[in-house]
Amino acid sequence: MSRPAGRGSRRLTRWWRRRSLRTRLTVIAATAIAVSVFVAFQVASELLDWELQDTAEDQLRADSRVLATNAERAGLAQVQLPPYPGSGRLARVILPDGSIRTPAGQPALPPVSEHAGRVAQGASADLMESGDSDDDGYLIYTLRAGDGAVQVARVADDSPINRFGLGMLLIGLLCVVGGALVGRTVARTGLAPIDRLTAAAVRVAHTRDLDADIPDEGGGEIRRLIQSINDMLAALRDSRRAQRLLAEDAAHELKTPLTSLRLNVELLIRLDRRGTLDSALPAESRTRLLNDLGAQVAELSTLAAELTDLARGDVSDESTEVLDLADVVVAAATRARSRVPDIEVALDVTSVWVSGRPAGLQRAVLNLIDNAGKWSPADQPVQVRLRAEGASAVLEVDDAGPGIDAADVPRVFDRFYRADSARALPGSGLGLSIVQRVVDAHGGRVTVARSARGGALLRVDLPAAAPPAPIARLTAGEDTAVR
């Protein structure tokens, strides 16, 4: 029995979930009104029944007193009992010997009950009781009179209750229908902003037009919802604009090395087809050309990697962990030396613990060292310093180059931005932009200034973290050169 009931309940739940919000509100409103009418009917019926019964009992007591007064005057055996008129109250006299007298033509009442007999015998003064026969129910009042008793009865009449119930049923049906119509109207009016919001969202999805904001209307939750969707559209517009700018800038930056690479490769292919490769290009020229091709391929690889890293934004599969930033700096310096053998990096690092992503932080430090290495003279190392300063880990990278012009400082971290003095140097203009993104993702700050040696000084401040276990702080007393 429980399984079919459970399946029926699940089907009803699925049916309810498939209904629209407008239908749900209509059903809820109609159900609430139906329940209210039913409860009101029950309460009103009970109150009406009590009131009618109290009225009937009061009338029986009054009629019994009149009959008892007449019986005491004339005697129970001689009191006149008018013939039954065909409707109305019924009367009966109980004589001392237990026999009864009734008016002529009156329907038979139920037999005298044991309790009523005790009233006739003088055990109590009166008694109100209900008696039932096969067809009718009676309300009977027994009152002590002389040596016996008199009884007055009324047929229990449920017709007023039935008429009242029928009236309430009709009123309830009208209220349910009216409630359903009102609920439908209220739902349609209340959900009109939602309908317009849905239409606007569908229009945006079909047209891909993110510039059309949804009109702000209504108040409360609807207004907050519209404002949230408009904020989301604004964020999508910014994201699409950034993607478009990234694609345009990437195409522009890729165009120059690809053109140079294509021209050099076409030159080699054309000379090889003519069989004049050896005569047209001496060994020294071929070596220089091949070195240029290798440099261009390396530049394209670096640019592709930087574009991929930049396009990913803050999304990363790498988990955050508590790490020693000194290890990250040493590893980045080692990678910089392996990529550019001529670069010299002087480290002055102190163990400082931070919470971050190791690969992302190492990429940022590597970009800082690479950027400084482009400008630092061959006989001047790139100086990298790491220390704890208050609640921050401070990393400084400076070079002995010409420094950054004041006009270029505000845009030094912009994507693809390259100062006029740097256009002849290799690079994509993405390195420092990636540095800023990584530092921002770690809750830090990166700034640029002029170093004491006259070059550029880039400073990174990151929130320090407590080490995972008590670890002695390691300090390098002397500069360490990575060669």
Side-chain angles (χ1 to χ4, degrees), residues 172-252:
L173 291 176
L174 292 176
C175 290
V176 170
V177 174
L181 294 177
V182 171
R184 188 79 176 179
T185 303
V186 171
R188 183 183 295 110
T189 304
L191 295 177
I194 300 295
D195 293 337
R196 289 191 288 272
L197 186 60
T198 302
V202 170
R203 184 172 62 254
V204 170
H206 286 169
T207 62
R208 308 291 180 179
D209 181 16
L210 301 177
D211 295 326
D213 286 339
I214 299 172
D216 191 358
E217 59 180 89
E221 294 81 1
I222 298 297
R223 184 170 189 177
R224 288 197 297 271
L225 177 60
I226 293 175
Q227 290 175 346
S228 299
I229 292 181
N230 284 333
D231 292 341
M232 180 186 68
L233 291 176
L236 290 174
R237 285 196 298 269
D238 294 340
S239 177
R240 187 168 68 177
R241 188 179 302 110
Q243 290 177 355
R244 184 171 61 251
L245 292 175
L246 178 62
E248 293 173 353
D249 292 341
H252 175 73

Side-chain angles (χ1 to χ4, degrees), residues 246-264:
L246 178 62
E248 293 173 353
D249 292 341
H252 175 73
E253 292 296 328
L254 288 170
K255 182 178 181 180
T256 299
L258 282 175
T259 300
S260 177
L261 184 63
R262 186 182 72 247
L263 291 176
N264 288 332

Side-chain angles (χ1 to χ4, degrees), residues 402-415 417-421 432-433 436 446-451 455-458:
I404 301 176
D405 294 338
D408 295 325
V409 169
R411 300 191 59 190
V412 72
F413 295 107
D414 291 349
R415 294 177 179 179
Y417 180 75
R418 302 179 71 186
D420 294 338
S421 58
L432 294 183
S433 177
Q436 186 179 47
V446 57
T447 56
V448 60
R450 183 170 292 276
S451 73
L457 172 64
L458 287 102

